[in-house]
Amino acid sequence: MVDPLEADEIASELDTITFGRHVITYDTIGSTNSEAAALAAQGAEEGTLVLAETQTEGRGRLSRPWYSPPFVNLYFSVILRPRIPPSQASMLTLTAGVALAEAIRQQTDLPAGLKWPNDVLIRSKKIGGILADLTADRLKIKHLILGIGLNVNLEAGLLPSEISETASSLMIEFGRAVSRLEMLKTVVNQLERWYTLFLNRGPGPIIEKYSGLSNTIGRKIRVTYQDRMLEGEAVGLAENGGLVVRGRDGITSTVLAGDVVHLR
Ligand code: BTN
């Protein structure tokens, strides 16, 4: 049964001050991140939520497409205007990861974990991802669009073959349907909570929480970045959100953006 998400239902009963107080919904859009960026450029306020039932050009990290079938999942973006240096922006991807994992745990008790930097996993399968699009000059962030895709009630048979082995949904893992509306509200509440904590207290609390939820830290990994490849152990997170890796030669490097494979 098709049960569309309505803007007034989303905005009611949130525990937030700014997040989700202004909601714009679309049946179909290219990408909620692109739409939110256009609205932000026109002056839309912080916390504005842009949501679509389906995306025709949903984007993942590293220019990958994001599979966005209608009415079963969540695709939304939040406009942020944080007063932090652009060099700290990667921390917001980690902040959103913590919020997503916490919301899933709160709503379903499923053991949601995080693969650095932006994947949400349950039992090693990807069920959600975060895409942060930054608009900044050298010293100041103009806006940052935090885009979230979460597979909620997607049936296993509907997963495209190229991701059928590696992706899943809350329904597949939980064994029954999950309310998209309740899930969305819980994520939005958690997002504002962790975002505010980050702005008030800096990266420490997020790094601590993310490390506890991380499936990457403590693992042997291979990370590809800037046409380079590094194998070693993920030993922690840096204050700018980068992944600290101890290479096989014992030398420690911090990778700010890269693609990780968990080796074992
Ligand atoms: C990833 O894991 O690579 C990130 C996926 C992010 C997908 C979401 S869906 C809503 C928002 N709009 C987009 O085009 N992408 C993000």
Side-chain angles (χ1 to χ4, degrees):
M1 194 188 75
V2 171
D3 185 12
L5 291 161
E6 308 286 352
D8 54 347
E9 280 183 329
I10 298 166
S12 73
E13 290 175 54
L14 283 172
D15 294 334
T16 59
I17 296 168
T18 55
F19 282 35
R21 293 291 152 199
H22 185 198
V23 178
I24 302 163
T25 58
Y26 298 91
D27 286 343
T28 304
I29 196 106
S31 153
T32 60
N33 263 37
S34 304
E35 184 63 17
L39 292 168
Q42 292 161 27
E45 66 206 277
E46 176 160 85
T48 301
L49 185 80
V50 179
L51 175 138
E53 291 291 4
T54 182
Q55 301 181 113
T56 53
E57 287 164 57
R59 295 187 278 116
R61 271 179 83 237
L62 309 171
S63 308
R64 293 173 186 146
W66 187 256
Y67 179 56
S68 309
F71 298 113
V72 284
N73 295 331
L74 289 171
Y75 320 108
F76 65 96
S77 305
V78 182
I79 297 173
L80 304 181
R81 299 184 182 281
R83 291 196 191 129
I84 57 169
S87 57
Q88 278 282 301
S90 296
M91 275 304 303
L92 292 169
T93 300
L94 306 194
T95 302
V98 166
L100 252 180
E102 285 289 277
I104 292 166
R105 285 168 175 252
Q106 184 182 336
Q107 206 57 31
T108 66
D109 271 344
L110 286 166
L114 298 166
K115 174 169 174 263
W116 185 88
N118 72 319
D119 291 358
V120 183
L121 307 180
I122 294 176
R123 304 181 191 108
S124 302
K125 299 244 176 154
K126 179 161 175 169
I127 53 128
I130 297 146
L131 179 70
D133 284 328
L134 175 69
T135 302
D137 57 31
R138 202 170 55 82
L139 294 175
K140 195 165 167 285
I141 293 180
K142 290 187 176 138
H143 52 77
L144 183 139
I145 309 301
L146 211 46
I148 292 178
L150 184 62
N151 295 344
V152 182
N153 291 323
L154 187 66
E155 289 173 31
L158 283 180
L159 281 166
S161 57
E162 58 277 19
I163 55 170
S164 63
E165 297 293 311
T166 52
S168 188
S169 73
L170 292 179
M171 184 171 78
I172 296 167
E173 300 301 320
F174 195 44
R176 61 185 144 94
V178 172
S179 160
R180 287 191 305 153
L181 181 62
E182 292 311 315
M183 195 66 238
L184 173 64
K185 287 188 187 192
T186 310
V187 174
V188 174
N189 286 338
Q190 290 281 355
L191 265 180
E192 186 178 278
R193 170 169 175 244
W194 288 98
Y195 177 64
T196 308
L197 190 69
F198 171 62
L199 295 184
N200 291 341
R201 306 246 318 267
I206 308 295
I207 287 178
E208 190 184 331
K209 188 73 187 176
Y210 189 103
S211 302
L213 291 165
S214 171
N215 293 12
T216 304
I217 293 164
R219 292 277 284 266
K220 299 274 184 240
I221 61 153
R222 178 184 310 126
V223 57
T224 318
Y225 63 105
Q226 295 168 348
D227 297 330
R228 294 175 62 190
M229 200 188 74
L230 175 63
E231 273 189 20
E233 186 183 348
V235 291
L237 294 167
E239 296 255 301
N240 61 1
L243 185 67
V244 182
V245 183
R246 192 187 313 112
R248 290 194 162 151
D249 51 8
I251 295 173
T252 297
S253 324
T254 299
V255 179
L256 194 54
D259 206 24
V260 166
V261 176
H262 291 159
L263 296 178
R264 63 189 138 84

